Amino acid sequence: MDYFLMLISAIFVNNILLAQYLGNCPFLGCSKEKGVAFGMGAAVIFVAVMATAFTWIMQKWVLEPYGLGYLQTLVFILVIAALVQFVEMFLKKMVPPLYKALGIFLPLITTNCAVLGIAILVQRKEFGLGMSLYYSFVASLGFTLALMLMAGIRERLVIARLPKSLQGTSIGLVMAGLMSLTFFAFKGMIE
Amino acid sequence: MILQSLLVMLGLGLACSAVLAVASKLLAVEEDPRVEAVLEALPGANCGGCGFAGCESYAAAAVNDPNVPADRCCAGGAGTAAKVAALTGKAAGSAEPMVAFRRCAKTEGNVKKLYDYQGVPSCAAAKQLGSPDACGYSCIGLGDCMRACPFDAMYMAHGMVHVIREKCTACGNCVRTCPNHIMEIVPQAARVMVLCSSQDKGKAVTDVCDAGCISCMKCVKECPAKCIKLEGGVIRIDHAACIAYGPECQEVCAEKCPRSILRRLGATAEAHAHAHVEPQAEKEAVA
């Protein structure tokens, strides 16, 4: 598939959050402020690309040659969790500024469903390594976009007059549903 | 097959844990344990009253920077200051207990309304259209400061904000939030205070409000300690000098104020205490 089409597809048509419903916990939990949402999005991009690289190698070098495909989910979870832990320690020691920016989000997305979802999706679609990395990057870019949009709306919602029963997470869920519906307008444009 | 999967997962788990174990030794970052201890001693409200981004950055600064005093935490007060001082080896200092004070007496003043504001319930939003009151230095009464208060020390009643002195830690979030700048941090022991923030001249004040300060300078002239000044159109009181002078003057400034807007704080404090009876109910009504 063309790289540009893949970009449009991953960000708008098959948005990982709004069309595939992966990673909804940070979508609701980290979307109260735009700054936090951006940090979370950046952390997801960072982790998703690294996790995809590792799990791709794991799949091609370990799982497939020994016919262990049925252990994919378990192995991926284990590998991603260990990787994120390692990266957190590495950043803390070697790149403190980056750790300051992303550090608090890293433990939050240890095997987050979006990250695991991307790693498994690239295997299902049988991409090569380069394509897998590109897909994981644009898919998490789509995640960041959705998160930022949601945060922008929720910053406005804070000062809206809402019935008590709708305040907070409830209106967040309603918003998430409406945003998902809006993104369905893109459905079917690209496979 | 079960055995095989078990072995694979076991091996993988062992490999991962081995890598992490080695990494945690190799990549361990030396952290000053005192930072953690200081953080523990702080109230953890992250109110920003100390001037740092949050409790954590203040803890780090207090430990690492010799110029950062131990008594900056206004939320914790003297007790916390003593603990932080003990942990960081600095002088405890004696931070004067402060409190937030509303410099407006709108309800007594019949402040003229410019328009009826019906937009988003936020003072900042209302201020964008120009203050709804004819006086640009009045309490708009939509509760931005109340929402900014991390200690639940403010409540709205009769269209104005009220400070619960016992809960207020003088972190200054309300001072920074109020678009009309009517909140001020004053010592808890302050004897007198002007309940008006207007920078306007006397005529402009009397046109819109029956209570406001008309900058007649009577208090400035009467004060035997010379601790009252008119700065930028507003009466400023040097509370330290005022308290140091003592009760000898019998608060002649409050006595002589023709508008009775410069007041003894004992009296206002009592009035505040009376108003406490139903703050919860009124808060609900506003929310």
Side-chain angles (χ1 to χ4, degrees), chain A residues 58 62-63 66-68 70-71 74-76 78-79 81-83 85-86 89-94 159-161 164 167, chain B residues 1 4-6 8-9 12-13 16-17 19-21 23-31 118-122 284 287:
Chain A
M58 206 67 201
V62 179
L63 296 184
Y66 300 101
L68 294 167
Y70 57 92
L71 282 177
L74 282 177
V75 170
F76 279 17
L78 192 65
V79 170
L83 175 74
Q85 287 294 315
F86 179 81
M89 284 190 258
F90 181 81
L91 287 184
K92 200 169 185 180
K93 177 85 174 178
M94 301 298 178
I159 47 170
R161 288 173 197 266
K164 203 155 208 170
Q167 281 167 8
Chain B
M1 185 146 151
Q4 192 190 17
S5 9
L6 275 178
V8 168
M9 291 309 289
L12 205 60
C16 286
S17 51
V19 168
L20 285 182
S24 70
K25 282 273 177 267
L26 284 182
L27 297 172
V29 176
E30 292 280 323
E31 263 178 1
Q118 299 221 326
V120 181
S122 141
E284 297 279 283

Side-chain angles (χ1 to χ4, degrees), chain A:
Chain A
M1 197 196 279
D2 186 24
Y3 280 95
F4 181 69
L5 269 186
M6 168 92 92
L7 177 84
I8 300 294
S9 157
I11 293 183
F12 295 108
V13 185
N14 296 312
N15 189 295
I16 189 106
L17 258 174
L18 298 170
Q20 312 197 49
Y21 314 116
L22 290 168
N24 270 295
C25 3
F27 188 49
L28 291 167
C30 289
S31 60
K32 293 210 176 79
E33 283 170 47
K34 267 183 279 196
V36 175
F38 184 74
M40 186 71 191
V44 167
I45 295 178
F46 186 72
V47 170
V49 173
M50 292 210 8
T52 308
F54 260 76
T55 51
W56 194 90
I57 292 170
M58 206 67 201
Q59 173 84 12
K60 293 290 181 260
W61 291 5
V62 179
L63 296 184
E64 279 178 14
Y66 300 101
L68 294 167
Y70 57 92
L71 282 177
Q72 192 189 48
T73 312
L74 282 177
V75 170
F76 279 17
I77 291 177
L78 192 65
V79 170
I80 298 175
L83 175 74
V84 173
Q85 287 294 315
F86 179 81
V87 167
E88 197 190 341
M89 284 190 258
F90 181 81
L91 287 184
K92 200 169 185 180
K93 177 85 174 178
M94 301 298 178
V95 206
L98 197 60
Y99 178 78
K100 257 197 176 138
L102 300 183
I104 48 165
F105 302 107
L106 285 179
L108 282 178
I109 47 176
T110 316
T111 326
N112 158 298
C113 16
V115 176
L116 182 66
I118 292 171
I120 291 181
L121 269 177
V122 295
Q123 299 303 338
R124 286 214 192 132
K125 296 189 177 181
E126 296 179 344
F127 289 148
L129 181 57
M131 202 59 176
S132 296
L133 292 181
Y134 181 69
Y135 177 80
S136 63
F137 177 70
V138 287
S140 34
L141 215 56
F143 179 93
T144 311
L145 175 82
L147 202 59
M148 292 289 289
L149 286 178
M150 183 71 166
I153 295 174
R154 284 185 85 176
E155 275 184 5
R156 289 278 167 167
L157 274 177
V158 169
I159 47 170
R161 288 173 197 266
L162 283 172
K164 203 155 208 170
S165 51
L166 273 179
Q167 281 167 8
T169 311
S170 7
I171 194 70
L173 281 165
V174 174
M175 283 311 310
L178 287 176
M179 281 179 73
S180 178
L181 278 178
T182 337
F183 270 65
F184 259 59
F186 295 113
K187 199 84 189 168
M189 282 168 86
I190 311 167
E191 258 313 297

Side-chain angles (χ1 to χ4, degrees), chain B residues 41-44 47 49-50 55 58 69-78 80-81 84 95 169:
Chain B
L42 294 172
C47 65
C50 52
C55 294
Y58 174 58
D71 59 359
R72 289 288 281 278
C73 180
C74 47
T80 305
V84 175
T169 63

